[in-house]
Amino acid sequence: MERVTEDLRTDDGGGADRDTLAGWMDRLLESGRFSDYGPNGLQVEGRARVRRIVSGVTASLALIEAAAADGADAIVVHHGLFWRGQDGRVTGWMKRRLAALLAHDISLYAYHLPLDAHPEVGNNARLGAELGLAVEGSFGDRALGLIGVPADGPCTLEALTARVQATLGRVPVVAPGDGRPVRRVAWCTGGAQGYFEAAIAAGADVYLTGEISEPQAHIARETGCAFLACGHHATERYGAQALGARLAAEFGLQHRFIDLDNPA
């Protein structure tokens, strides 16, 4: 695990340098090896010294305002402000979000695919840990998906669904497959319904992700592999939180995770 020297963590006023934090997260998450849908790393530059950070899923106006009220110097999120193909004009909701960040001099760090993929603080790793799934391997594009077994042994689809609901606080959408015992579970957080066929090819009895589209119900019926759509936001609450906690521990910062409910 990468450590930092004491002189980088603090000065007489405490905290850590904004750009040092960005470099440390870039190296930890290996962000340079990902071709992503938007820029990873420091997206909006705030004050140079960071003492208090807030983590959250999405850089929404509500999260920015909550972070400002909490006295944050920086925000760490999974879903940042800028995405490939979006309108580049700073109007409407984009203006309001940027204006709030700039008015409070808050830095915004965002990591998308690198945060999904990290084996310790990543969304997929943390979701598996929350659900009691032991990782045995990976699958799919860039090996983002994980596959493994229930740590307490095979179970029924009903038992796994109940565990998901209890853990995430969300009733999943279930395409039940053929009712086979659940021995191998594949999962990939967020909008990864397109990984379903790769999960089946990897030997999964059940595939968990955030969203479902029309084809997945048919594929579940025809292959027997069950599909659980557990919520995009609900499955991606754990990575930014874990990254924020790790960052705070490494640099001696204050950290708070703010979870804003989202039905998606």
Side-chain angles (χ1 to χ4, degrees):
M1 181 172 69
E2 182 181 359
R3 305 295 296 181
V4 296
T5 58
E6 187 65 27
D7 61 322
L8 288 180
R9 290 191 190 185
T10 61
D11 62 6
D12 292 340
D17 176 74
R18 174 196 62 226
D19 297 328
T20 297
L21 298 182
W24 184 86
M25 286 187 284
D26 286 343
R27 292 189 297 274
L28 176 73
L29 301 177
E30 299 181 284
S31 58
R33 72 183 181 89
F34 291 88
S35 175
D36 212 334
Y37 304 99
N40 289 298
L42 181 63
Q43 289 195 345
V44 178
E45 185 178 286
R47 61 183 64 96
R49 206 73 190 163
V50 176
R51 296 170 178 83
R52 184 169 181 80
I53 56 174
V54 157
S55 60
V57 178
T58 298
S60 65
L61 181 60
L63 179 66
I64 296 166
E65 290 176 340
D70 199 55
D73 303 300
I75 303 171
V76 178
V77 296
H78 180 48
H79 301 136
L81 289 182
F82 308 109
W83 299 95
R84 183 194 309 158
Q86 74 185 76
D87 190 329
R89 290 173 291 184
V90 181
T91 60
W93 60 268
M94 178 64 84
K95 178 193 173 184
R96 290 189 288 274
R97 293 184 189 183
L98 280 172
L101 286 167
L102 296 174
H104 295 285
D105 207 13
I106 295 174
S107 293
L108 176 68
Y109 304 94
Y111 291 94
H112 187 234
L113 294 182
L115 188 56
D116 286 324
H118 194 270
E120 296 175 16
V121 300
N123 280 317
N124 288 320
R126 299 316 311 155
L127 179 64
E130 291 288 331
L131 295 177
L133 301 173
V135 178
E136 292 188 334
S138 60
F139 71 96
D141 183 37
R142 289 164 284 198
L144 285 174
L146 297 179
I147 188 162
V149 297
D152 51 0
C155 63
T156 64
L157 177 62
E158 291 73 21
L160 179 62
T161 301
R163 183 184 304 178
V164 168
Q165 182 174 341
T167 302
L168 302 185
R170 195 71 54 92
V171 179
V173 176
V174 180
D178 59 11
R180 69 182 71 167
V182 176
R183 294 185 173 88
R184 288 177 63 76
V185 182
W187 67 98
C188 190
T189 64
Q193 57 267 53
Y195 278 31
F196 189 24
E197 290 176 80
I200 295 167
D205 300 306
V206 179
Y207 177 57
L208 276 106
T209 188
E211 302 178 9
I212 187 170
S213 298
E214 197 271 348
Q216 281 81 53
H218 300 292
I219 295 171
R221 294 187 191 112
E222 293 167 20
T223 65
C225 180
F227 184 104
L228 271 66
C230 309
H232 193 133
H233 175 91
T235 58
E236 294 194 325
R237 286 182 297 192
Y238 303 105
Q241 182 176 4
L243 178 60
R246 176 84 170 268
L247 191 68
E250 290 289 336
F251 288 88
L253 308 176
Q254 299 176 49
H255 167 244
R256 181 187 175 197
F257 173 67
I258 297 178
D259 185 27
L260 301 171
D261 186 55
N262 188 324

